Amino acid sequence: MSGTGRTEDGRGRLGSALSGLAVAVGCVLFLGGFIWGAVVYQPYTVPTDSMSPTVMAGDRVLAERIEGDQVRRGDIVVFRDAQWGDMPMVKRVVGVGGDKIACCGDGGNLMVNGTAVEEPYLRTNELASPDSFTAAVPKGQLFLLGDERSGSLDSRVHLQDPGQGSVPRSAVTARLDAVAWPLDGGLLERPQGFAALPGGVSQPGPVTLVVGSVAAGALLIVGGAAYGPIARRLSGRGRGASGGGGRGGAGRGTATAGVG
């Protein structure tokens, strides 16, 4: 009996140690994920429908903090420029310094340096722009359009301004990676229509890893915290059943001896 008790105590101690380790690791992953996300990302509420249907007015998005030189064609960026009202705005980059932008080519596509760009994020059968235009993007500048081409106030409205509607790369503060709310928004894919152009498209930020870290941490915390009470309860039932069986056996043995 003493050997069995020591074994059960050893298992209990091991279970408690593993439970504590799971909670500790879970706390590190959970808090680390939140801190990592707070450092890398800034939450932002989309103010208008100029980027619909990709993101809608009122959507809460996660925007990765980046430098202007990290921007690529196809990125949806948060920027601020005095000529655009000096307030945070969200638009898609369709041209970078040195590009010639024109609309519309055959099939109503946007043309970048003479190449037609497929834009699957536009509404079905929507032209790349209801009005024709051309622009040359100066070095160090970005040409930006909203995905709602029929109503977006974007670089096309500023074509007569210096730089033909473009903004400096330094005006960019962040790049959208995901829609946090509503929950069905999900990750924002990089448009492959720009991938064949020089510089290609950007890579997604670490939002998946951040969310995975927080989720894994939460599971470990809950699982580790629940293991201790469950293990103690099961262990108590096991000891109770074992003890009761022993007493019953002894009683039967005594009765048999008396009859003999």
Side-chain angles (χ1 to χ4, degrees):
M1 292 294 292
S2 61
T4 302
R6 286 194 297 270
T7 300
E8 290 178 350
D9 289 344
R11 290 176 179 174
R13 286 193 294 271
L14 177 60
S16 296
L18 291 176
S19 174
L21 179 61
V23 172
V25 173
C27 287
V28 171
L29 290 174
F30 187 80
L31 295 176
F34 266 113
I35 294 172
W36 186 13
V39 170
V40 176
Y41 287 97
Q42 67 180 55
Y44 185 77
T45 301
V46 178
T48 70
D49 277 325
S50 69
M51 282 300 299
S52 64
T54 307
V55 290
M56 311 294 289
D59 284 0
R60 292 285 289 177
V61 297
L62 295 178
E64 182 186 6
R65 293 181 171 91
I66 61 169
E67 299 293 333
D69 59 2
Q70 297 175 265
V71 176
R72 299 290 182 271
R73 299 180 192 88
D75 288 345
I76 303 174
V77 298
V78 180
F79 68 98
R80 188 172 191 143
D81 186 78
Q83 294 186 26
W84 293 54
D86 200 23
M87 64 183 66
M89 304 191 74
V90 178
K91 303 292 180 188
R92 188 183 297 275
V93 176
V94 299
V96 298
D99 284 348
K100 301 294 190 295
I101 312 296
C103 194
C104 294
D106 294 340
N109 288 341
L110 183 73
M111 306 294 292
V112 180
N113 301 328
T115 300
V117 176
E118 294 291 336
E119 298 183 279
Y121 40 81
L122 301 182
R123 297 187 188 278
T124 304
N125 298 324
E126 184 179 27
L127 296 175
S129 176
D131 300 313
S132 299
F133 70 91
T134 59
V137 186
K139 184 178 180 180
Q141 302 277 109
L142 303 169
F143 196 86
L144 305 118
L145 298 178
D147 286 358
E148 175 50 82
R149 298 291 164 82
S150 61
S152 174
L153 302 179
D154 45 40
S155 288
R156 294 170 297 173
V157 177
H158 298 274
L159 288 173
Q160 304 306 315
D161 295 346
Q164 289 194 277
S166 61
V167 301
R169 282 183 175 270
S170 59
V172 174
T173 59
R175 174 172 55 209
L176 271 60
D177 253 2
V179 177
W181 186 265
L183 295 177
D184 60 355
L187 299 176
L188 297 174
E189 297 182 358
R190 300 305 194 259
Q192 294 306 303
F194 295 94
L197 297 172
V201 295
S202 63
Q203 296 300 312
V207 63
T208 302
L209 295 176
V210 170
V211 173
S213 175
V214 171
L219 288 174
L220 284 172
I221 292 171
V222 172
Y227 175 81
I230 293 173
R232 284 194 296 272
R233 189 169 184 177
L234 293 176
S235 177
R237 287 180 178 178
R239 285 196 298 270
S242 176
R247 288 192 296 274
R252 285 192 297 273
T254 301
T256 302
V259 173

